[in-house]
């Protein structure tokens, strides 16, 4: 599915109370992401297990970019890095927050992370998760 960056929370206030919430588009994305994740029937890592995570975000190129014929071989080989929005840290946050309680107990278990964003004609997210050996 297409990557989505984590937005900032929104705030509303009535009667002296301030309530924060996430935009509906984002909460719907997280539900779809978790549905797709559940299809893989991946096991949840144990609480306390240090994890290494690698995420590659394949992002749809702008129409002006993808219409240029010379770009098609590069887009098909998925080697063009994205140096525009969305910010990679917000893309990571959306995935890490969505997987809390599903792939791991809490994303504080992640001790090592690698992320990359590339243009692709097939937008998607690829994730690798491995347990890290404790050498203490």
């Amino acid at each position: 599915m297409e990557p989505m960056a984590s937005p900032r929370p929104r705030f509303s206030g009535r009667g002296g109370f301030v309530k924060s919430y996430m935009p509906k588009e984002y909460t719907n994305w997280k539900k779809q992401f978790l549905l797709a994740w559940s299809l893989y029937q991946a096991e949840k890592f144990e609480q306390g297990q240090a994890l290494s995570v690698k995420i590659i975000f394949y992002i749809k190129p702008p129409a002006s970019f993808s219409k240029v014929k010379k770009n098609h071989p590069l887009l098909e080989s998925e080697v063009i890095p994205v140096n525009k929005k969305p910010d990679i840290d917000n893309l990571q946050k959306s995935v890490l927050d969505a997987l809390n309680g599903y792939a791991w107990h809490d994303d504080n278990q992640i001790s090592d992370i690698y992320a990359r964003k590339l243009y692709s004609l097939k937008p998607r997210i690829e994730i690798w998760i491995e347990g890290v050996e404790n050498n203490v």
Side-chain angles (χ1 to χ4, degrees):
M1 67 182 287
E2 205 159 330
M4 181 177 195
S6 178
R8 293 178 185 245
R10 307 289 186 247
F11 298 93
S12 67
R14 292 187 184 174
F17 294 100
V18 176
K19 182 179 176 184
S20 70
Y21 64 95
M22 295 304 275
K24 193 170 198 84
E25 179 184 43
Y26 177 67
T27 55
N28 289 339
W29 180 89
K30 279 177 62 172
K31 287 176 188 173
Q32 288 179 316
F33 180 83
L34 288 174
L35 179 62
W37 181 261
S38 69
L39 296 176
Y40 288 99
Q41 298 178 348
E43 290 187 38
K44 188 161 124 179
F45 285 88
E46 292 181 29
Q47 191 169 359
Q49 168 75 54
L51 303 174
S52 175
V53 177
K54 178 181 177 182
I55 309 171
I56 302 179
F57 300 96
Y58 294 94
I59 297 172
K60 185 177 179 180
S64 60
F65 187 85
S66 59
K67 287 184 180 177
V68 178
K69 286 186 180 182
K70 70 176 184 173
N71 291 337
H72 273 276
L74 294 171
L75 286 172
E76 288 173 2
S77 61
E78 300 176 329
V79 295
I80 304 171
V82 177
N83 61 352
K84 300 187 181 315
K85 288 191 180 250
D87 295 353
I88 199 162
D89 59 326
N90 292 329
L91 289 168
Q92 282 179 226
K93 183 166 178 41
S94 63
V95 169
L96 300 182
D97 286 350
L99 291 177
N100 269 343
Y102 294 92
W104 46 70
H105 289 271
D106 193 274
D107 56 6
N108 64 11
Q109 293 176 246
I110 299 169
S111 64
D112 180 43
I113 190 164
Y114 172 84
R116 191 168 189 198
K117 55 183 185 172
L118 301 167
Y119 283 123
S120 175
L121 298 172
K122 300 173 197 160
R124 65 191 184 280
I125 304 166
E126 293 183 1
I127 305 167
W128 294 265
I129 307 168
E130 294 180 334
V132 176
E133 292 295 320
N134 186 353
N135 294 328
V136 177

